[in-house]
Structures are given as structure tokens and as C-alpha cells.
Amino acid sequence: MSKYHKDPDAIADLSPEQYHVTQENGTEPPFRNDFWDHKEDGLYVDIVSGEPLFTSRDKFDSGCGWPSFVKPVESDHIVAREDNTHGMRRIEVRSKHGDSHLGHVFPDGPRDRGGLRYCINSASLRFIAIDDLEAEGYGDYRHLFE
């Protein structure tokens, strides 16, 4: 059984914007969010469940105003589903255990790194710096930064 789950206490602690994004499938403004230009090395986890989602090593500047990643840290922590809202055909990505809306994945990422762009709302993420991985319970992911 997974140690990650949709945590009611974490949901109760969300800011209004974090709640809107993760629980109501919202989108934060581009270029006015915490991680769109964040450069520190570390792990990005679901703000609701804590499940590991992306690393800074897979982050790139796509110019879209949201954090963009070429791949998830573990594909089984991501659920992809068709999203036909707003008159568009897109693929939504959600966290598996937290069921948080994260953002969308597009086929316009760097070709030399797989061609995908995971366009993710900062409001759905919590960042854990490399030096804090062990203390936060993510020591198993340290090797990704060596």
C-alpha cells in the first residue's frame, strides 16, 4: 500500500489559489507563480499527497510562464486523461494518490529529451531542496541529483 494519499489536513491548509488549482481543476496565472523560473536543485512533490512528481534536473524553460518538465520522476505517480474543456483537446495530468490537478502535458517539449512538456501549476507543487530530502523523508531520491 502506498504511503501517499489525499490528505484532508493538507487540503484544509491550502491557500485559496492552491485549492482552486488542485481541487477545482484551476489554472494559475503565467509568470506570476512560485516556480516558473525557480532554479534551485530539488524535488517537486504533490502539495496534497506528498508523492514525488518531478525533479529540477528535468525542468526546462519553455517560455510559457509555468514550470515545465520533460518527464515525471516516477510515471506511476502521474495519471493522464483527456481534457476537452475550454474548446480544446488536451491531456490533463493529475497526481495518482492525491488526485490533484497538476496541469497538462503537450508534445512540444525538447525533442532530444523525449519531446514532452509537462506544463504544471506551481500551486499544485511543494519544493524540497536537495539538502532537505532526507529530513523530509525523500532520501531515496537523493541519487537523482548525483
Side-chain angles (χ1 to χ4, degrees), residues 65-144:
W66 291 281
S68 297
F69 303 89
V70 294
K71 66 179 182 176
V73 68
E74 291 185 38
S75 59
D76 61 343
H77 286 282
I78 299 286
V79 174
R81 66 182 191 194
E82 193 170 323
D83 175 4
N84 295 313
T85 60
H86 307 292
M88 296 180 272
R89 292 190 70 200
R90 302 178 291 176
I91 302 298
E92 177 194 18
V93 288
R94 301 183 74 82
S95 60
K96 180 178 181 177
H97 302 287
D99 191 35
S100 297
H101 170 72
L102 304 173
H104 294 85
V105 61
F106 300 98
D108 60 359
R111 290 278 164 235
D112 63 336
R113 299 196 60 202
L116 296 178
R117 173 176 56 101
Y118 286 83
C119 183
I120 306 299
N121 289 284
S122 291
S124 66
L125 302 173
R126 182 169 74 91
F127 178 76
I128 302 168
I130 291 177
D131 292 342
D132 298 329
L133 290 173
E134 285 82 6
E136 294 273 348
Y138 296 94
D140 291 348
Y141 295 90
R142 177 93 180 154
H143 72 280
L144 298 173

